[in-house]
């Protein structure tokens, strides 16, 4: 009988053995390394190859990095300092170039006395984006707005901001911080007003031009509200648009001039050719991203439409824009628009480039969103029809929220592509951070022959922005995930 | 009593054009068409006025004028006496050359990285992730410029390769040496690679408007013929296998058919490599590959490879584990599982985005402007445009050519895509 054995048979153990630790090869770092690094001969070879390449990279780059020189007047002086401190033949990074020229990489030839304007515009950009990116999340909004407040406090005081502007900016950002605690939803109004504010901050001029231009939208809304009870919604919207266009074409400029004479107030105006560096890249990138999304959605819907003419035009536009390189479109902006517009018109090169970049990104976005639309099951469209929703309501409430959610990763990578493509504006004479500014720096007799440092500096900033965008898209994807897999 | 479905007749009102779904789509389309026609008319009218104001006409005869500029890299004969159309062709071929080599290198590199990123080796997986993130998040222009600058500013001058008598006597090595069995020399002026030469080539055939390099076309014909014969051989073997159950041994016949004719032909024509060597202050002989070409190809391959790696990884991950488990259950070995089960299915996911990457690469060759590479944009859209002042014609023609290339690539790849696509029954 088994239960009696313990008492009757002397060689049967009557207590449990204490558990022994697993053998050396089956635990801790050794096990992990055996499984993840040295599981098969091929893996051993690959690991060794990887270690070898890391070693090669570090042994080449580390001394260079450690011998960095931060204070010098020229590249040759840098090299002398490196040779003096680390011996002949040693290499060292010459970050002194960045120390001397960082402002060109960031602002181009923007006048130094006015640097506080792009700095403020960037801070307010983040503040304006926050309500969109973190809709209604009080905690995240507070964190972002608080960070913007600290950023503005530090950078604006460093940039010798005029007292009035400094005070107004602080009041504005603290007011937003307060509003975020009470009614975070209302912050979106700032986002709506931001484009006009940003335009005025960056280009300067009379404060009345953005205000009067924004008033055009007020005219649109007023006409729409007044006319809709009499002539119906669609004609009223059309009338509103016509009224707004008339406002911008004929009333805008005289009103601005009159107001400017009556109450002169403005900033020193800055020409577009003084823009450069990351200021230019961000202006083009953010404007392009903002406007390409709605246009892309419209094009995608047009391509999915049942109406033959609308569909043909959308397909033609999308395929044409996707079939040619961006550079040819940029050259169109700089060379051909003068042929296509009425004789004598000439408008800002940055604006022209933004328009073409926007169209380019919109065509790519349209294809991405079309993929999202195609991924929706047919039943969603039919259910929307069955509920009696009209086309736009069905799109707005049922179709687009799902289609856009599916295509978030692809949309964001299109945005990243657009932001990277802003560097191509160098070829139409604008001063982008990568080619334009770096060329200027490298053409300087003091810094001739420097190449790693400017490219690493510019590349690092691009990397941070683009990597941040792709991480945000992963966060958004997680947040909006509603399936229960 | 009228049925509910009866449509009230003779009560057409104008507002029904907007509010009745039966008519609304026509209204919208007509409005769109009219607006579009007006916009086109407005653009054409402006263009006509602008052209008239500048005293220009819209014609393409400038293409047959003398070009008068030199092109460094030319795949077909070209001198500065040739016309602009010839320059256009040279540029187009340069564009296609970069695109061709770029696509090949990017595919090889991208597939390798994509597969390695899935490897169970932790270190390699992380390294590949770093590569992909680094190349995807930094503009292509930076990679092109950096590669070019490194190639042209850090490589030795031709005279560094010289071995003087004193150095030979002292047993010193020169400051720089050639690579790959002393056949390739990278200098700050370009990369010197061996040139294929024929002692008894077939010469060229002059057709008046263009000349054909007969040697090249003859070799191409022989290669294509060998491949065709090999396919016939394999088809015959398969037919015999299906008829009798025994597959005849074909591997040595295949090798013979594929390689023997070409080798015989090369020997008959006296094929040999001309190795570049230092003469005076520069290398002579061989082919000088400009750094602009190398930098553009290398940077485009590295950049596009990061995107292809992600596509390949996503494609392999999209195949569920059950597929490989089922294959193992059937007793297939791992490499046959990959070849017969996983890859054919993964290819269906991989190919459509791969096509658009090839298209992107082809369009991105226009960034050659950053390193003064004379591709289509550099010749037609660059020097020709500036010399003749015909912006409108040059830009339109260039866009048309790029559009055609894009459409051809996507058509060819879509055909291939159809052939591997799931046949739904």
């Amino acid at each position: 009988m088994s239960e009696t054995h313990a008492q009757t048979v002397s060689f049967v153990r009557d207590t449990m053995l204490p558990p022994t630790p697993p053998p050396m090869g089956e635990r801790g770092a050794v096990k992990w390394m055996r499984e993840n690094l040295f599981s098969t001969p091929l893996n051993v070879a690959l690991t060794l190859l990887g270690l070898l390449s890391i070693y090669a990279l570090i042994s080449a780059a580390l001394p260079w990095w450690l011998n960095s020189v931060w204070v010098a007047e020229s590249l040759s002086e840098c090299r002398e300092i490196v040779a003096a401190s680390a011996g002949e033949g040693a290499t060292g990074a010459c970050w002194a170039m960045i120390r001397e020229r960082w402002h060109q990489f960031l602002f181009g030839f923007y006048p130094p006395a006015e640097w506080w304007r792009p700095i403020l515009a960037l801070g307010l950009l983040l503040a304006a984006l926050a309500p969109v990116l973190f809709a209604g999340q009080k905690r995240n909004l507070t964190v972002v707005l608080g960070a913007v407040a600290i950023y503005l406090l530090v950078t604006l005081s460093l940039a010798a901001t005029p007292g009035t502007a400094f005070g107004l900016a602080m009041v504005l950002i603290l007011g937003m911080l307060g509003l975020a605690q009470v009614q975070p939803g209302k912050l979106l109004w700032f986002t709506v007003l931001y484009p006009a504010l940003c335009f005025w901050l960056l280009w300067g001029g009379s404060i009345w031009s953005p205000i009067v231009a924004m008033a055009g939208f007020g005219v649109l809304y007023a006409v729409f509200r007044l006319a809709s009870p009499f002539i119906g919604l669609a004609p009223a919207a059309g009338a509103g648009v016509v009224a707004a266009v008339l406002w911008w074409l004929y009333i805008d400029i005289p009103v601005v001039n009159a107001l400017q004479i009556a109450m002169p107030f403005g900033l020193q105006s800055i020409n577009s050719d003084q823009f450069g560096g990351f200021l230019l890249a961000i202006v083009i990138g953010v404007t392009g991203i903002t406007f390409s999304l709605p246009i892309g959605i419209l094009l995608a819907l047009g391509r999915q439409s049942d109406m033959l003419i609308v569909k043909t035009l959308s397909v033609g536009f999308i395929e044409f824009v996707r079939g040619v390189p961006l550079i040819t479109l940029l050259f169109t902006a700089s060379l051909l628009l003068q042929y296509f517009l009425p004789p004598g018109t000439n408008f800002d090169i940055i604006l022209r480039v933004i328009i073409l970049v926007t169209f380019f990104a919109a065509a790519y976005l349209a294809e991405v969103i079309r993929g999202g639309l195609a991924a929706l099951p047919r039943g969603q469209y039919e259910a929307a029809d069955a509920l009696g929703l009209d086309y736009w309501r069905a799109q707005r409430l049922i179709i687009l929220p799902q289609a856009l959610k599916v295509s978030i990763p692809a949309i964001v990578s299109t945005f990243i592509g657009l932001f990277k493509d802003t560097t191509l504006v160098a070829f139409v004479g604008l001063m982008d951070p990568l080619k334009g500014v770096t060329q200027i720096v490298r053409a300087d007799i003091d810094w001739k022959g420097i190449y790693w440092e400017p490219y690493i500096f510019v590349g690092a900033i691009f990397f941070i922005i683009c990597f941040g965008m792709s991480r945000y898209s992963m966060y958004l994807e997680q947040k909006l995930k509603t399936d229960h897999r | 009593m009228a049925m509910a479905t009866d449509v009230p007749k003779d009560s057409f009102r104008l507002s029904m054009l907007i509010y009745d779904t039966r008519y609304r789509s026509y209204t919208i389309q007509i409005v769109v068409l009219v607006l579009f026609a007006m916009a086109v008319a407005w653009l054409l009218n402006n263009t006509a006025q602008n052209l008239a104001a500048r005293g220009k006409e819209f014609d393409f005869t400038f293409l047959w004028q003398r070009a008068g500029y030199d092109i460094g890299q030319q795949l077909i004969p070209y001198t500065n006496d040739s016309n602009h159309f010839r320059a256009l062709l040279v540029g187009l071929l340069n564009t296609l050359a970069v695109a061709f080599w770029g696509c090949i290198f990017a595919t090889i590199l991208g597939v390798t990285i994509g597969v390695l990123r899935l490897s169970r080796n932790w270190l390699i997986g992380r390294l590949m992730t770093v590569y992909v993130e680094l190349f995807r998040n930094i503009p292509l222009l930076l990679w092109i410029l950096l590669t070019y600058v490194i190639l042209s500013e850090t490589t030795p001058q031709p005279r560094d390769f010289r071995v003087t008598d004193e150095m030979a006597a002292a047993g010193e090595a020169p400051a720089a040496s050639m690579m790959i069995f002393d056949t390739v020399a990278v200098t700050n002026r370009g990369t010197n690679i061996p040139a294929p030469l024929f002692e008894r080539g077939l010469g060229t055939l002059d057709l008046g408007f263009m000349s054909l390099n007969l040697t090249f076309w003859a070799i191409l014909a022989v290669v294509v013929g060998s491949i065709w014969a090999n396919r016939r051989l394999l088809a015959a073997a398969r037919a015999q296998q299906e008829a009798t159950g025994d597959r005849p041994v074909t591997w040595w016949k295949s090798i013979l058919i594929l390689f023997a004719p070409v080798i015989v032909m090369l020997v008959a024509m006296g094929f040999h490599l001309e190795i570049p060597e230092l003469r005076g202050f520069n290398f002579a002989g061989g082919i000088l590959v400009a750094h602009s070409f190398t930098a553009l190809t290398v940077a485009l391959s590295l950049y596009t490879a990061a995107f292809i790696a992600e596509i390949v990884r996503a494609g392999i991950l999209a195949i569920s584990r059950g597929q490989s488990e089922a294959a193992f259950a059937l007793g297939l070995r791992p490499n046959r599982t990959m070849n017969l089960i996983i890859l054919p299915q993964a290819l269906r996911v991989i190919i459509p985005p791969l096509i658009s990457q090839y298209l992107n690469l082809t369009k991105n060759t226009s960034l050659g402007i950053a390193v003064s590479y004379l591709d289509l944009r550099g010749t037609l859209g660059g020097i020709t445009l500036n010399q003749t002042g015909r912006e409108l014609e040059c830009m339109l023609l260039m866009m048309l050519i790029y559009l055609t290339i894009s459409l051809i690539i996507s058509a060819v790849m879509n055909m291939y895509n159809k052939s591997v696509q799931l046949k739904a029954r």
Side-chain angles (χ1 to χ4, degrees):
Chain A
M1 299 282 277
S2 59
E3 58 266 26
T4 58
H5 281 185
Q7 283 79 46
T8 55
V9 187
S10 61
F11 55 79
V12 173
R13 189 183 274 282
D14 58 353
T15 52
M16 287 292 282
L17 273 174
T20 49
M24 275 302 286
E26 282 301 324
R27 67 188 150 118
V30 178
K31 179 186 182 210
W32 182 87
M33 275 169 63
R34 231 178 45 153
E35 280 181 357
N36 290 301
L37 295 179
F38 303 106
S39 53
T40 59
L42 179 68
N43 264 344
V44 174
L46 282 177
T47 305
L48 291 181
L49 208 66
L51 286 177
L52 214 65
S53 51
I54 291 177
Y55 172 75
L57 207 65
I58 288 182
S59 65
L62 198 62
W64 181 79
W65 196 272
L66 289 178
N67 294 339
S68 299
V69 176
W70 286 91
V71 188
E73 290 294 310
S74 66
L75 185 61
S76 49
E77 193 188 332
C78 263
R79 290 193 174 141
E80 281 165 19
I81 296 176
V82 170
S85 64
E88 279 300 320
T91 55
C94 188
W95 301 113
M97 185 276 294
I98 305 291
R99 190 189 165 91
E100 193 177 301
R101 296 301 188 98
W102 60 272
H103 52 87
Q104 284 187 347
F105 283 105
L106 296 191
F107 304 118
F109 288 127
Y110 213 83
E114 309 290 327
W115 282 347
W116 61 273
R117 282 155 57 175
I119 291 175
L120 179 60
L122 176 68
L124 294 183
L125 169 71
L126 298 179
L129 281 178
V132 181
L133 298 183
F134 304 105
Q137 302 171 357
K138 204 185 281 177
R139 204 172 62 94
N140 282 344
L141 278 175
T142 313
V143 170
V144 173
L145 290 177
V148 169
I150 296 171
Y151 157 83
L152 285 181
L153 194 66
V154 174
T155 50
L156 285 184
S157 48
L158 284 177
T161 313
T164 333
F166 190 90
L168 281 177
M170 279 298 135
V171 168
L172 177 63
I173 193 74
L174 292 179
M176 287 180 72
L177 205 51
L179 192 59
Q181 311 306 319
V182 200
Q183 281 182 312
K186 289 269 192 290
L187 282 176
L188 272 176
W189 282 107
F190 178 69
T191 312
V192 173
L193 294 178
Y194 177 75
L197 179 61
C198 172
F199 171 80
W200 178 65
L201 271 179
L202 292 179
W203 272 272
S206 163
I207 193 173
W208 299 111
S209 36
I211 291 180
V212 177
M214 286 302 262
F217 290 103
V219 168
L220 198 164
Y221 183 70
V223 170
F224 173 70
R225 283 306 293 266
L226 287 177
S228 56
F230 304 108
I231 53 175
L233 287 181
V241 170
V242 170
V245 169
L246 288 178
W247 172 273
W248 285 319
L249 282 183
Y250 297 110
I251 304 179
D252 196 322
I253 296 169
V255 169
V256 170
N257 290 340
L259 281 169
Q260 182 63 16
I261 291 166
M263 285 177 281
F265 183 69
L267 293 168
Q268 181 196 341
S269 55
I270 310 282
N271 267 335
S272 279
D273 55 3
Q274 289 172 295
F275 280 60
F278 278 99
L279 169 62
L280 184 69
I282 291 177
V283 165
I284 296 176
V286 171
T287 327
I289 286 173
T290 316
F291 290 105
S292 63
L293 187 60
I295 300 178
I297 292 175
L298 287 182
L299 282 173
L301 292 179
R303 194 169 182 166
Q304 296 285 76
S305 160
D306 298 330
M307 293 183 260
L308 182 69
I309 294 174
V310 175
K311 185 176 173 158
T312 317
L313 288 180
S314 305
V315 172
F317 178 83
I318 293 172
E319 292 302 327
F320 169 72
V321 172
R322 279 163 46 91
V324 297
L326 178 57
I327 285 192
T328 59
L329 290 180
L330 290 177
F331 275 106
T332 307
S334 74
L335 293 175
L336 289 198
L337 277 190
Q338 51 175 336
Y339 283 98
F340 294 146
L341 295 176
T345 38
N346 189 16
F347 65 99
D348 195 76
I349 179 75
I350 293 188
L351 185 60
R352 286 191 251 169
V353 163
I354 286 177
I355 292 174
L356 269 292
V357 167
T358 306
F359 281 156
F360 186 73
Y364 278 82
L365 278 179
E367 281 302 273
V368 164
I369 295 168
R370 182 170 76 113
L373 289 173
L376 276 198
R378 186 84 222 131
Q380 296 291 330
Y381 293 87
E382 287 164 358
D385 285 346
L387 286 175
L389 297 177
D390 65 23
Y391 178 78
W392 289 108
R393 284 222 175 83
Q395 297 297 337
R396 192 162 59 81
L397 299 173
I398 312 277
I399 310 297
L400 281 179
Q402 300 184 64
L404 289 181
K405 192 181 86 179
V406 176
S407 33
I408 283 174
I411 289 178
V412 174
S413 57
T414 312
F415 284 163
I416 293 178
L418 186 155
F419 186 62
K420 286 188 295 181
D421 281 344
T422 57
T423 51
L424 303 191
V425 300
F427 301 121
V428 292
L430 291 175
M431 210 172 20
D432 82 303
L434 190 53
K435 189 165 162 64
V437 176
T438 307
Q439 206 163 20
I440 292 173
V441 170
R442 276 163 49 84
D444 188 333
I445 192 79
D446 284 343
W447 305 111
K448 204 169 168 52
I450 195 165
Y451 44 92
W452 282 111
E453 291 86 350
Y455 290 128
I456 288 180
F457 179 69
V458 174
I461 296 182
F462 267 109
F463 182 83
I464 290 169
I465 297 175
C466 297
F467 193 67
M469 274 154 78
S470 74
R471 289 292 123 156
Y472 175 76
S473 93
M474 286 163 89
Y475 154 80
L476 200 59
E477 217 182 336
Q478 279 299 320
K479 201 185 91 173
L480 297 182
K481 201 174 196 175
T482 46
D483 56 348
H484 304 286
R485 272 198 277 189
Chain B
M1 190 183 145
M3 298 280 287
T5 49
D6 276 354
V7 181
K9 292 190 185 86
D10 62 45
S11 64
F12 180 79
R13 293 180 312 277
L14 215 55
S15 63
M16 282 167 70
L17 283 179
I18 296 178
Y19 293 114
D20 193 322
T21 44
R22 286 169 299 172
Y23 305 114
R24 182 160 55 189
S25 73
Y26 295 108
T27 320
I28 294 176
Q29 295 197 59
I30 289 170
V31 169
V32 168
L33 192 65
V34 168
L35 285 179
F36 179 69
M38 276 165 61
V40 170
W42 184 70
L43 286 179
L44 288 179
N45 181 35
N46 285 339
T47 313
Q49 282 187 14
N50 281 315
L51 282 173
R54 286 175 173 78
K56 289 180 182 174
E57 281 176 11
F58 186 75
D59 75 281
F60 285 94
T61 45
F62 69 94
L63 283 175
W64 278 264
Q65 290 165 6
R66 179 177 176 274
Y69 59 91
D70 288 309
I71 300 179
Q73 178 187 322
Q74 26 185 284
L75 299 177
I76 52 174
Y78 169 88
T79 62
N80 57 18
D81 277 333
S82 309
N83 56 26
H84 284 297
F85 184 72
R86 189 80 179 172
L88 183 163
L89 283 184
V90 174
L92 178 60
L93 283 177
N94 284 349
T95 293
L96 292 178
V98 172
F100 175 77
W101 289 112
C103 283
I104 289 180
F105 292 138
T107 310
I108 296 173
L109 199 61
V111 172
T112 317
I113 291 169
V115 172
L116 282 182
R117 216 187 146 182
L118 286 175
S119 141
R120 285 176 51 198
N121 189 320
W122 181 86
L123 182 69
I124 293 294
R126 290 302 138 97
L127 277 181
M128 295 306 141
T129 312
V130 169
Y131 176 92
V132 168
E133 292 296 344
L134 204 59
F135 275 87
R136 280 203 314 175
N137 287 317
I138 293 182
L140 168 63
L141 188 60
L142 186 145
W143 299 115
I144 295 178
L145 288 171
L146 190 61
T147 321
Y148 182 72
V149 168
I150 290 175
L151 276 177
S152 53
E153 292 190 15
T154 64
T155 46
Q157 294 180 345
R159 64 183 156 91
D160 290 340
F161 288 81
R162 172 119 29 87
V163 186
T164 53
D165 292 338
E166 300 93 76
M167 285 166 76
E172 282 177 30
S177 54
M178 293 168 75
M179 297 187 296
I180 316 178
F181 308 113
D182 277 356
T183 54
V184 176
V186 184
T187 71
N188 59 355
R189 299 183 193 177
T191 308
N192 295 280
I193 60 168
L197 283 187
F198 298 93
E199 276 167 21
R200 298 172 292 277
L202 298 176
T204 52
L205 181 66
D206 201 356
L207 294 179
F209 63 97
M210 59 185 295
S211 54
L212 291 176
N213 185 338
L214 282 182
T215 319
F216 171 77
W217 289 104
I219 292 175
L220 192 68
V222 168
V223 169
V224 171
S226 311
I227 292 173
W228 179 77
N230 186 43
R231 292 185 72 152
R232 290 298 305 269
L233 174 77
L234 291 182
R238 186 168 302 128
Q240 194 181 342
Q241 183 181 23
E242 277 169 14
T244 63
D246 287 327
R247 189 179 175 83
V249 180
T250 56
W251 63 268
W252 60 270
K253 287 184 203 160
S254 281
I255 290 176
L256 209 62
I257 292 179
L258 281 180
F259 294 104
V262 180
I263 293 173
V264 167
M265 185 164 178
L266 289 179
V267 171
M269 291 198 293
F271 172 80
H272 62 270
L273 287 178
E274 188 192 29
I275 303 212
E277 56 180 315
L278 194 60
R279 283 197 208 115
F281 289 102
N282 210 345
F283 278 90
I287 300 174
L288 178 68
V289 182
H291 280 324
S292 53
F293 174 84
T294 322
L296 196 56
T297 314
V298 168
L300 274 172
S301 314
L302 292 177
Y303 180 80
T304 313
F307 290 86
I308 293 182
E310 282 300 274
I311 292 169
V312 169
R313 188 175 80 108
I316 294 178
L317 283 181
I319 307 306
S320 70
R321 268 192 80 74
Q323 295 288 329
S324 51
E325 282 166 0
F328 289 144
L330 286 175
L332 291 176
R333 280 170 276 126
N335 60 345
R336 303 216 80 186
T337 307
M338 199 61 177
N339 286 337
L340 298 177
I341 309 292
I342 308 287
L343 272 187
Q345 299 186 69
L347 273 185
R348 289 192 194 116
V349 187
I350 290 173
I351 290 196
L354 193 64
I355 300 172
S356 66
Q357 283 308 321
Y358 287 159
L359 283 175
N360 280 348
L361 193 150
T362 310
K363 284 180 287 172
N364 281 339
T365 55
S366 58
L367 288 186
I369 181 178
V371 290
S372 310
Y373 181 65
L374 283 182
D375 61 347
L376 181 64
R377 203 224 56 81
T379 56
L380 175 68
I383 304 179
T384 296
L385 184 151
N386 288 334
Q387 277 190 3
T388 59
R390 301 211 167 258
E391 296 104 349
L392 199 57
E393 293 90 337
C394 286
M395 292 297 297
L396 289 181
L397 191 59
M398 186 165 73
M399 286 192 180
L400 194 67
I401 294 175
Y402 273 118
L403 205 56
T404 316
I405 299 175
S406 295
L407 292 180
I408 289 175
I409 293 181
S410 66
V412 169
M413 295 305 281
N414 280 332
M415 254 156 55
Y416 177 66
N417 190 22
K418 278 231 175 66
S419 71
V420 296
Q421 212 46 263
L422 203 62
K423 309 279 190 294
R425 293 192 182 89

